Amino acid sequence: MSTSEIASILDNSKELDRLRKEQEDVLTDINKLHKKLQTNPEVVEKPGDMSLSKLKNLYIQAKDLAETEVRVSNILLSQLEALLPPGPPGQQRRRVGNEQKKKQKKNDSDISRVSPSMRNQLDNLASLKGEQVAARVTTEDIEKDEYIVVKVMHYDRETREFEVLDEEPGDDDEGGGQRKFKLHASNVIPFPKRNDPSTALDFLPGRAVLAVYPGTTALYKATVVNPHRKRKTDDYLLEFDDDEGEDGSMPRRTVPFHNVVALPDGHRQ
């Protein structure tokens, strides 16, 4: 088992944990709304009440999370099955007499045991070349996570590493020129595609997210404050943590849906 295969399995396991925690949060919100409607059912008849609409959105989000969990679980199963020897436990693999066949190229062996779902995952990552993504460019020993918008230059399937370019470094960056980074796939978050709303998650009011601060290429933690978004392509209204207006209040800022992603588990800010 190669290091990259182990890393991939661990990454998908972490993603499953994140999805399950997110599902628990959604289920908690659903149960709260159920309790509210059971206690006071006439509230839905009041003008402007959005209880049923919120409940519908919660169920849609729960369905999306469940489907994503199934997809990631299938990828994990395929990865594990690909690493297990064929045949019943304890049965030795038949030896190949031809010495040349014993020394087949490693690439041929790897390709033959990659499942279709795993290959799709690799293809999706490789297809990000030329796209802008959110990238964590700080190391583990740094107290706070720094996410910025970068452009994908290359993806290495073997090491699962991205080569990315910071096209607009800040004034404080040394040298002032464009910076390149090599980052593991776990440090990269694809943005929703502008022309494909199906790639966007629908974050409900009160949800913590990671978003591009208007006028910059930096991402910060924020909270969704939209009363209701009719379409996935609608802009988000966000309150960024540690953001303060001239009057001392926390301003609400409009951010396009394609600049908002899920807050990574364990994010430090």
Side-chain angles (χ1 to χ4, degrees):
M1 184 186 299
S2 69
T3 303
S4 61
E5 288 170 330
I6 296 174
S8 178
I9 289 173
L10 291 176
D11 286 344
N12 284 322
S13 299
K14 290 178 181 178
E15 177 65 8
L16 268 184
D17 289 339
R18 186 192 68 78
L19 288 167
R20 285 166 183 162
K21 289 177 183 176
E22 198 167 336
Q23 288 180 79
E24 289 174 3
D25 292 340
V26 173
L27 184 59
T28 299
D29 291 340
I30 288 175
N31 289 336
K32 286 180 180 177
L33 203 47
H34 280 173
K35 188 174 181 180
K36 174 185 174 182
L37 294 175
Q38 288 172 352
T39 306
N40 189 17
E42 63 273 9
V43 70
V44 298
E45 298 177 2
K46 294 181 179 180
D49 181 77
M50 304 297 294
S51 298
L52 294 179
S53 179
K54 288 180 181 178
L55 189 60
K56 177 185 175 182
N57 286 333
L58 284 170
Y59 274 112
I60 290 174
Q61 189 175 1
K63 177 177 175 291
D64 290 342
L65 287 169
E67 289 174 348
T68 304
E69 182 185 1
V70 170
R71 179 177 60 79
V72 175
S73 296
N74 286 336
I75 291 173
L76 262 174
L77 285 172
S78 298
Q79 288 176 306
L80 294 171
E81 287 172 358
L83 297 174
L84 293 173
Q91 179 180 339
Q92 292 186 348
R93 303 174 73 172
R94 188 176 65 179
R95 294 185 179 181
V96 180
N98 191 321
E99 188 66 24
Q100 187 175 1
K101 289 184 178 179
K102 286 184 179 181
K103 296 180 179 179
Q104 284 180 323
K105 291 183 179 179
K106 182 177 182 296
N107 288 344
D108 293 340
S109 174
D110 288 343
I111 291 172
S112 65
R113 68 185 184 187
V114 173
S115 66
S117 57
M118 184 61 180
R119 191 176 294 115
N120 287 339
Q121 183 189 33
L122 293 173
D123 288 342
N124 288 337
L125 292 174
S127 70
L128 291 173
K129 183 177 180 179
E131 299 281 342
Q132 287 189 328
V133 296
R136 182 166 71 92
V137 295
T138 43
T139 55
E140 294 294 340
D141 57 340
I142 301 299
E143 184 179 350
K144 295 182 179 181
D145 292 331
E146 179 188 359
Y147 278 85
I148 61 174
V149 178
V150 297
K151 181 179 180 180
V152 175
M153 306 302 292
H154 177 68
Y155 175 68
D156 189 322
R157 292 170 181 259
E158 288 293 321
T159 62
R160 298 194 76 230
E161 282 188 337
F162 282 96
E163 183 178 325
V164 300
L165 177 68
D166 179 10
E167 298 179 286
E168 299 181 26
D171 296 334
D172 297 333
D173 294 325
E174 295 181 6
Q178 295 181 334
R179 298 181 298 168
K180 287 185 178 180
F181 300 92
K182 278 194 173 181
L183 304 171
H184 188 266
S186 59
N187 292 323
V188 171
I189 307 175
F191 284 117
K193 297 185 182 298
R194 301 186 189 203
N195 57 353
D196 186 2
S198 66
T199 61
L201 292 174
D202 191 14
F203 300 113
L204 298 177
R207 177 71 182 275
V209 296
L210 195 66
V212 179
Y213 190 87
T216 75
T217 57
L219 290 91
Y220 299 98
K221 182 182 177 183
T223 302
V224 178
V225 294
N226 296 56
H228 181 62
R229 293 169 66 251
K230 294 182 179 179
R231 299 181 302 273
K232 283 188 174 183
T233 53
D234 287 346
D235 290 342
Y236 278 99
L237 196 61
L238 304 177
E239 288 181 350
F240 284 88
D241 286 17
D242 303 324
D243 192 12
E244 189 174 303
E246 294 180 358
D247 59 353
S249 63
M250 183 174 287
R252 295 185 170 188
R253 304 192 185 274
T254 302
V255 179
F257 80 96
H258 53 82
N259 282 346
V260 181
V261 297
L263 185 72
D265 190 29
H267 177 70
R268 302 167 299 178
Q269 180 168 311

